[in-house]
Each structure stands twice: as structure tokens, then as C-alpha cells.
Amino acid sequence: MVADHPLSVETLAVKGTSPHYDEGSAVQPIYQTSTFLFQGEVGYENVRYTRCNNGPNHMALSAHIAALENTEAAMVASSGMAAISTALLAFLQAGDHLLMQNTCYGGTYDFVTKNLPAWKISHSLIDASQPNTWKAALKPSTKIIYVESLCNPSSDVPDLQAVVSFAKANSLMSFIDNTFASPVLCRPADLGFDIVLESATKYMGGHSDLIAGSYAGSKRNVQKVSI
Ligand SMILES: Cc1ncc(COP(=O)(O)O)c(C=O)c1O
């Protein structure tokens, strides 16, 4: 567990973490601006610019998601696939290899099996319910193990604790797509996962009226994906 929030996940989901906004509005106003005035910020990452996900709406939503995921930090993206592809690209480079659960969501499966090879990033598919078979797929260049807490569409559930232990034992980063479970059913960071991904288009949004994604983890890891 990284952060400690006294509120239950149900209360957090409804109230969020920053209930007080400008002029006392109950709901945060939407800031329709690309650019913010310079207010003496130091460092590029502190200069507020909407593409950098650091406007007031982004910051409030990110804090809300970090509270739900029980992580130090989180960031939003324009879709689940934007979050997943950006996070993978932030931690992988040419020559690297990853292990991916063989029943992952089709968009992720295609990205890993069809797009990443163009950047010389290779993969092996693993049966996430058979931890004793993972070692055979490991290579010296393996950097990440990637699973879904509840697969789309098969609803396979990996041995999550075994994934985290395997990652730690082999110096891998553990990535998990938590879309179908949502933080209400599963908080993978509490189990030790490094990066928690969501297609917020689904249960996080909850009303089929938005497309969004998120990634959550330590401040250091989230910053690495964001900058
Ligand atoms: C498990 C899972 N991950 C990722 C995605 C991609 O999310 P988005 O459609 O928001 O890009 C989906 C979409 O169905 C999904 O079910």
C-alpha cells in the first residue's frame, strides 16, 4: 500500500479528493483553455499546458484516480489504448522483450504483437494461470510482465500475487490492465503491481458517455510515462 485514504472506495468514487473549487462550485468547472498564464513555475513539467495533462481538471481527475487506485500518482489519457500504448512505450526500447498474458484485450494484443515488433520490441505470450511455465519464456532482455486482472472478453483471472512475485524475482516491471475489475473490485497496487492501467471508458466512466484512459503507480513511474 502506497498511500493511505481514510475514505472507502465507494465514497471516494462519488466525492473524489478535492471537493472545494473556485467560487465554491460543487462540481469543478471545465477549464476550456489550452494554455495557462506563467506564474513563476520552475521546470518544464510544472508549466501548465493542457497537452501536458496538468490543467486543473487533469490534476483533480488524476488525484481522484490515484485515490481510487491507492497509488501515489495517476494520469489520464485520451483513451484506454492511449494509456496502454504510451505506458508500454515509456518503459520499453528497441531490443527489449515483454511477457504478455495470452488472453489480453484485442487492442492491446494487436499493439503488442503487430505494432511493437516494428520498433524491435518482442514478446512472448504466457498462460497467466500457469506460473510454473513463465520462466521458460523469460529472456535476458525481458523488461515487463503484462496481464489483465479480469480479461476482456474471456474473464480469465491470473494468479496476481504470482505475477508480482515473479516480476520482483526477475527484476521485471509488472503492468496490469484493471479495466473490467475497476478499483471497486481490485486495487492491483495494493498487491504490488507497478503500473495500473484502466480504460476509463468502461466502469470508471460508468455511463458510456466518455472515452478515457488512466495509468497509476508511483510518482516516479507516472512521471516517466507523462513527460
Ligand atoms: C480490457 C480493456 N483494455 C483496454 C481497452 C481499450 O480502451 P479504449 O477503448 O478506452 O481505448 C478496452 C476496450 O474495450 C478493454 O476492454
Side-chain angles (χ1 to χ4, degrees), residues 37-226:
L37 296 180
F38 179 65
Q39 292 183 315
E41 293 89 355
V42 178
Y44 172 72
E45 67 279 8
N46 296 317
V47 173
R48 291 189 305 162
Y49 182 55
T50 293
R51 177 174 52 76
C52 295
N53 279 5
N54 60 6
N57 296 129
H58 288 111
M59 300 309 280
L61 182 55
S62 299
H64 195 154
I65 292 171
L68 286 170
E69 303 282 17
N70 204 17
T71 54
E72 265 184 349
M75 200 58 94
V76 279
S78 56
S79 69
M81 279 317 300
I84 291 164
S85 53
T86 309
L88 284 171
L89 287 173
F91 287 97
L92 292 169
Q93 53 189 1
D96 287 346
H97 171 259
L98 75 152
L99 302 178
M100 183 176 74
Q101 184 177 4
N102 56 5
T103 48
C104 276
Y105 165 67
T108 308
Y109 186 90
D110 282 353
F111 180 72
V112 168
T113 61
K114 296 186 182 147
N115 297 108
L116 287 185
W119 288 294
K120 309 259 179 284
I121 296 166
S122 61
H123 61 273
S124 297
L125 300 175
I126 53 165
D127 180 340
S129 65
Q130 301 290 328
N132 57 338
T133 61
W134 303 344
K135 194 96 186 165
L138 209 55
K139 297 183 179 191
S141 56
T142 310
K143 296 285 161 36
I144 288 173
I145 181 164
Y146 186 108
V147 297
E148 291 179 6
S149 43
L150 194 53
C151 278
N152 175 10
S154 65
S155 297
D156 285 359
V157 178
D159 184 338
L160 298 179
Q161 205 68 72
V163 174
V164 170
S165 305
F166 184 82
K168 285 194 170 49
N170 295 288
S171 304
L172 310 180
M173 287 194 72
S174 49
F175 278 43
I176 186 162
D177 180 335
N178 195 42
T179 298
F180 265 29
S182 89
V184 171
L185 294 185
C186 180
R187 294 170 128 186
D190 289 354
L191 300 172
F193 276 89
D194 294 310
I195 296 279
V196 183
L197 299 148
E198 306 272 354
S199 165
T201 315
K202 311 292 164 0
Y203 299 116
M204 292 278 269
H207 303 278
S208 302
D209 57 1
L210 61 84
I211 295 274
S214 64
Y215 42 92
S218 68
K219 269 190 192 145
R220 194 158 171 258
N221 284 340
V222 168
Q223 199 164 25
K224 180 151 183 180
V225 184
S226 311

